[in-house]
Amino acid sequence: MTVAGLVLVVGLVAACSSSSNDATGTGSSGTDGAGGAGPQPNVTQPSGGTPKTGGTLAYGLEAETDGFNPTVNRWAISGTQVGLAVYDPLVALDADGKAQPYLAQSLEPSNDYKTWTVKLRPDITFHDGTPLTSAAVKKVYDEHKASALTSAAVTPIESITTTDDLTAVFTMRAPWAVFPNALTGQAGVIPAPSMFDAPDKGGRAPVGTGPFRFKEWVPDNQFTAVKNTSYWRKDASGVQLPYLDEVDFKPLPEVKSRLNGLKSGQVDMMHTNDAASIEEIRKAAADGSLQKVEDTGESEEGLVLLNTAAPPFDNLKARQALAYATDTVTYTQTVDYGVLAPANNVFNPGSPWLVPTDYPSYDPAKAQELVNEVKQEKGEFKFKLTGGGADTRDNLQALQAMYTAVGMDVEVDVVDQASFIPTAVLGSFQANLWRQFGAPDPDSEYLWWTSENAKPIGQLALNMARNKDPELDRGLNIGRENSDFAKRKEGYALVQQRLAADLPYIWLDHAQWVVAARNDVRNLTNGPLPDGQPAYPIGGAGFPGVTRLTQVWLDR
C-alpha cells in the first residue's frame, strides 16, 4: 500500500498557519481581544428580499483534492467544501454546536450508548435516480471499515445492520455517547451505491443526494457541479433549493492568486486562513469593496509537531526547552501580522472546553538551562524543523531564530506537501510545522491523541507525535462515553493537563478562517437546517472554513 493511500484526513490538515443534557457544549467563541487578533465582526450586504434563483458561482479553494469518494479519497477543508455540495451529511450542527439530523430523520441511542438507531428521511433519491435507503448507509460504512484510508475513523463501530428500508442500526464496541458528531463531514456523507462499482469507486464522478450534481472535473483547474433539480429540500417559502444553477470550484493554492481572483471577478467567493490575506480582506471589507465572514467557532492550532519517539524529543527536557523558548507573542505579531492570537492550549480562549494548565510560558533563561542539561546528558541538542510548502519558510526561520538563541542547533527544511504528510504518519521527522485540531467537538480528536494510534516509527500512526499517556487516554474515554457536558469537560480537562505535561505539541497560534465574497453574493454562511433552525455558521463538518452552498444566491 502506498503512504498516500493510507493517510487519514478526517480532521487532518498539515500546513503552516500564517488558526438539557448538552453533549457538546460547543458554541461560538468571541474575539480573543489579544491586540486585535482573533475573529473580527462580519461585514456583509443585507440579505433581505426574495432570493433570486439561477446564476453561476465561482469558488476559490485553497487546494485540490485527490478525489471525491469519502471512503478512499483524502478530504481536507477544500475536499469537504466540494463534498458537501454533491453529498448531504447524515448530521449537521445547529448554531449552538449541537448535532441535529440532516439526511437522517432521527438518531436514537440505547441507554448504554452502545447502539445507535438511525432513521433516514423518506423519499430522497440519489443523483442517479435510485432511492436513499438504509442499505446505502450500510454499504458506505462497510466500505469505510474496509478502507485503508478511513477505517480508523470507524473503528468504534462493530457492525451496521438494517431493520427496514429506512433504518440502520450501528452497534459500537464501547459506549459512544456523541457518535452523531462524527457524522457531519467526510465520515457522514452518503454516496450512491452505484459509485462503488466504478474502477476508482467513483472518486472522479461522485454521486450523492446533495444540492448539486457532478458535471465535470478537470484536476487542478475546475470542478463543476450543476443544480440538482430534484433536490429534497425547499426554503421556508417553499422555493426549491439550491438557488444557484451551477458552482465552479477552482483550486487556487497560491493565496495571492486566490485573493486577486476575487478582486478581479475570476472567483465570486473564497476561503483562506492566511494571515496576510485576512488582513487585506478586512481592509477591503472596511472600504466596502468585499464582504467577509469570520469563523468564530473552534479553530485549528498552528503548532510544532514533535516526534516523541525519536531523539531529541524523546526526552521530556528537550520538549520543555522548546516550549520555554517559543515566544508566541513575537511570532504572532511578526509572521502572523497580528491577525492570529497566540496559543498555549488546543482550545480557543472563548471555548467552553478550556481549562487553565501549567503549559510553559515563554522563558528563554529556563529554556537555556534545559538546553544545557540536555547537552550534558546527550552531548548535543540538534534537530531539523520541517515545513510543507514554500510559504512556510518565514515561519520556520522565525522559530529557528528563537531556538538558536538559547543554544539549540536547528536546521530548517522546506518540502512539498505531498512528501510532508507521510513524514508525520511514518515518524520520519523530528519537528514539523503543523496545523490541526479544529473540530467543533473534541471527541473528533480522539484518533490523533489516543495511545492506541501511537505506532512505532516506520508504521503508520494517526497519533503522529507518538505520545503515549494512560491518563490522557482516560480523559478521552470520559469525553467519549458520557453525554453530560460537565462530565465530558472533566475528561477534556484531564486531556489538556496531560498535553501540557507531555508536550507533544508546541502551540503557536489559533488559526483564523475567513470566507470572503464579492458584493453581489448573498447568504455566505450555512443556511438553516432542514427543520428551519439556524445552523452552525461556518465549519461544523470536521473543519473550520467550510460552508454549505445550498442557500447561497446571487443578487444580479
Side-chain angles (χ1 to χ4, degrees), residues 368 371-372 375 381 402-409:
Q368 179 79 69
V371 168
N372 290 339
K375 287 182 174 179
F381 194 140
M402 295 176 194
Y403 301 151
T404 57
V406 297
M408 303 177 194
D409 185 352

Side-chain angles (χ1 to χ4, degrees), residues 144-436:
H144 276 303
K145 290 174 70 66
S147 171
L149 175 70
T150 58
S151 58
V154 297
T155 296
I157 301 173
E158 185 171 26
S159 65
I160 309 99
T161 57
T162 62
T163 58
D164 61 42
D165 283 349
L166 295 177
T167 307
V169 178
F170 290 74
T171 301
M172 307 301 176
R173 301 180 189 279
W176 195 355
V178 290
F179 169 59
N181 288 289
L183 306 178
T184 61
Q186 181 172 356
V189 300
I190 307 300
S194 62
M195 268 183 54
F196 297 102
D197 295 330
D200 65 345
K201 291 185 177 287
R204 292 188 60 86
V207 181
T209 63
F212 298 95
R213 301 166 58 104
F214 167 73
K215 179 181 178 181
E216 182 183 30
W217 180 33
V218 180
D220 299 313
N221 182 277
Q222 184 166 297
F223 181 104
T224 302
V226 297
K227 180 173 183 170
N228 175 12
T229 56
S230 300
Y231 192 47
W232 58 278
R233 289 197 61 190
K234 296 182 179 180
D235 70 9
S237 299
V239 176
Q240 177 72 51
L241 294 173
Y243 298 124
L244 296 167
D245 283 339
E246 182 175 310
V247 179
D248 298 334
F249 292 102
K250 299 177 181 291
L252 299 168
E254 211 285 314
V255 289
K256 290 183 180 178
S257 296
R258 204 179 326 145
L259 183 53
N260 288 339
L262 182 66
K263 291 179 176 179
S264 68
Q266 178 191 3
V267 297
D268 302 297
M269 196 170 176
M270 62 168 278
H271 58 199
T272 185
N273 80 319
D274 173 70
S277 295
I278 292 172
E279 184 178 42
E280 194 169 345
I281 287 168
R282 286 175 176 172
K283 291 177 180 177
D287 68 25
S289 58
L290 289 177
Q291 302 177 85
K292 59 101 179 175
V293 293
E294 304 202 12
D295 195 338
T296 59
E298 193 60 61
S299 71
E300 299 162 303
E301 276 60 55
L303 56 106
V304 181
L305 171 68
L306 301 181
N307 188 344
T308 67
F313 299 115
D314 55 351
N315 184 332
L316 177 59
K317 286 183 181 179
R319 303 197 297 272
Q320 291 172 332
L322 209 66
Y324 282 116
T326 304
D327 182 356
T328 57
V329 172
T330 296
Y331 182 87
T332 53
Q333 288 297 316
T334 53
V335 299
D336 291 339
Y337 303 93
V339 169
L340 308 186
N344 64 3
N345 196 303
V346 71
F347 297 117
N348 287 355
S351 171
W353 303 105
L354 182 70
V355 299
T357 70
D358 293 326
Y359 183 84
S361 57
Y362 177 56
D363 186 341
K366 179 65 174 177
Q368 179 79 69
E369 177 184 332
L370 288 164
V371 168
N372 290 339
E373 290 181 17
V374 171
K375 287 182 174 179
Q376 289 174 1
E377 295 173 9
K378 305 295 183 181
E380 64 178 8
F381 194 140
K382 182 178 182 179
F383 68 95
K384 182 182 291 186
L385 178 62
T386 307
D391 59 347
T392 66
R393 189 172 297 279
D394 288 347
N395 304 66
L396 295 169
Q397 290 176 343
L399 294 171
Q400 181 187 40
M402 295 176 194
Y403 301 151
T404 57
V406 297
M408 303 177 194
D409 185 352
V410 185
E411 176 187 353
V412 163
D413 189 25
V414 176
V415 299
D416 63 89
Q417 283 281 4
S419 59
F420 182 56
I421 294 176
T423 68
V425 295
L426 289 172
S428 55
F429 74 102
Q430 293 175 298
N432 277 354
L433 190 64
W434 205 254
R435 189 189 79 215
Q436 201 178 355

Side-chain angles (χ1 to χ4, degrees), residues 416-489:
D416 63 89
Q417 283 281 4
S419 59
F420 182 56
I421 294 176
T423 68
V425 295
L426 289 172
S428 55
F429 74 102
Q430 293 175 298
N432 277 354
L433 190 64
W434 205 254
R435 189 189 79 215
Q436 201 178 355
F437 310 133
D441 189 281
D443 180 67
S444 297
E445 314 298 2
Y446 191 106
L447 288 170
W448 318 114
W449 295 339
T450 177
S451 297
E452 181 181 355
N453 289 339
K455 307 298 184 183
I457 291 174
Q459 294 184 26
L460 291 150
L462 300 184
N463 180 339
M464 291 163 282
R466 288 162 169 78
N467 180 54
K468 296 182 179 181
D469 184 340
E471 280 296 284
L472 190 153
D473 293 339
R474 185 167 70 87
L476 289 173
N477 287 324
I478 292 172
R480 169 160 286 189
E481 295 175 4
N482 290 276
S483 61
D484 178 68
F485 174 69
K487 186 65 176 177
R488 297 190 71 208
K489 186 166 182 175

